[in-house]
Amino acid sequence: MPVEPFEITTIYPDGTSETRWSTPEEIAQREADIVAFEDDRVAREAAEAEHAAKRESAKAKLATLGLTPDEVSAAFGL
Amino acid sequence: MPDLINGLVAITPTSVTRTGTGSTASINSDGSVVFGSCNTLTVNGVFSSAYDNYLINIRYLYVSGLDYLSMRLSSNGTDSVSGYAYQRFEADGTNFVAARSMSETSGLIGYGSMTESGVSVYLYSPFLVETTSYRSIGATYYTGSGFYEPIGEHLVSSSYNGFTLRDLITPRTKSGLLTVFGFNQ
């Protein structure tokens, strides 16, 4: 995804400041960050879905052993 | 900066750099930095040969949503964007998560929401030409109280004099106040 140039402002202790436009390197880094954000999001959601599926599978198996939902929650935090 | 006082010494940044539409930032006379609606905030000139180890205290909240707060070490305003690794513990109600991440582009330091959150980052040897380690202790409130404790390393043997705060999942705007302290040993 192309990133538009963005403003970068530096502030000093005396309150003065300087504003400049992002360099091509900074724009490229932001584009790389966006790709990384998306990769991380997909990986995180996949891991969370897998974890949730395992929890539900475990709860179902424990129920077949005769444990009530309250007992499963108390004993295993599920 | 009183050199003869043992313990924590507040450090005034040489400058701070912000990004984000409508963002604000300023350096208070006591060295603390107040920031508003920033996508990223780079704190420059706080690590030096004066101290080996540092404490960064941050209170912050997201303008919208919730996200993991992360940090990049920087040298004269240029971020280091590789070589981060971390392990985190999260406790959110009865849910407990332990996870490890390697070869990351930033180091996880906390978890924030639209309710004021806090994080204290103990940072070891950022200015020395060695790898840098950190331990972060955070508290946040989303559906309830939760604690989030990452530890990590920056596995690059370089010297850094500042750091950048950013987000891990998506760029967000955040506001708060931070102070950097050096451990005067």
Side-chain angles (χ1 to χ4, degrees):
Chain A
M1 178 196 302
V3 169
E4 296 294 320
F6 53 94
E7 288 187 343
I8 299 174
T9 301
T10 297
I11 303 99
Y12 299 94
D14 64 3
T16 59
S17 63
E18 300 169 351
T19 298
R20 63 175 176 83
W21 288 103
S22 52
T23 65
E25 291 77 15
E26 288 165 335
I27 292 171
Q29 183 58 54
R30 180 165 284 195
E31 289 173 343
D33 286 342
I34 289 171
V35 172
F37 279 139
E38 182 62 13
D39 289 347
D40 285 350
R41 184 188 65 78
V42 170
R44 194 181 307 275
E45 287 180 357
E48 289 171 355
E50 182 183 357
H51 183 66
K54 286 178 178 175
R55 285 170 61 92
E56 291 306 310
S57 174
K59 287 165 69 175
K61 288 174 180 172
L62 290 166
T64 64
L65 297 174
L67 278 71
T68 67
D70 284 348
E71 289 170 334
V72 170
S73 177
F76 303 102
L78 297 175
Chain B
M1 190 167 58
D3 287 336
L4 299 179
I5 297 174
N6 288 322
L8 293 171
V9 179
I11 299 169
T12 299
T14 56
S15 65
V16 293
T17 302
R18 60 172 168 79
T19 66
T21 303
S23 62
T24 60
S26 62
I27 302 171
N28 295 326
S29 58
D30 61 3
S32 59
V33 176
V34 61
F35 56 97
S37 301
C38 290
N39 283 143
T40 64
L41 179 75
T42 301
V43 181
N44 301 304
V46 284
F47 309 139
S48 71
S49 59
Y51 311 108
D52 284 0
N53 305 318
Y54 298 83
L55 170 64
I56 306 168
N57 254 347
I58 309 168
R59 67 166 173 80
Y60 67 105
L61 54 79
Y62 285 107
V63 175
S64 65
L66 65 163
D67 211 321
Y68 293 94
L69 187 67
S70 74
M71 179 175 70
R72 281 173 171 163
L73 294 172
S74 65
S75 178
N76 300 322
T78 300
D79 287 351
S80 178
V81 297
S82 64
Y84 298 89
Y86 50 83
Q87 164 78 44
R88 77 179 197 271
F89 297 118
E90 299 180 4
D92 183 12
T94 58
N95 291 325
F96 182 79
V97 175
R100 171 179 286 166
S101 299
M102 305 288 286
S103 301
E104 296 292 326
T105 62
S106 64
L108 172 69
I109 60 171
Y111 191 65
S113 70
M114 292 171 65
T115 301
E116 192 88 16
S117 302
V119 62
S120 297
V121 184
Y122 292 86
L123 195 63
Y124 308 103
S125 69
F127 189 77
L128 300 179
V129 185
E130 299 175 359
T131 57
T132 299
S133 300
Y134 70 89
R135 166 108 195 231
S136 183
I137 300 171
T140 194
Y141 189 95
Y142 177 48
T143 55
S145 302
F147 70 81
Y148 301 85
E149 300 199 355
I151 65 100
E153 290 79 31
H154 182 238
L155 300 169
V156 177
S157 295
S158 293
S159 176
Y160 301 96
N161 61 3
F163 62 93
T164 294
L165 293 180
R166 61 193 295 278
D167 312 300
L168 204 64
I169 296 177
T170 192
R172 294 187 188 279
T173 54
K174 50 204 158 295
S175 301
L177 181 140
L178 67 84
T179 309
V180 180
F181 299 92
F183 281 95
N184 196 31
Q185 296 150 323

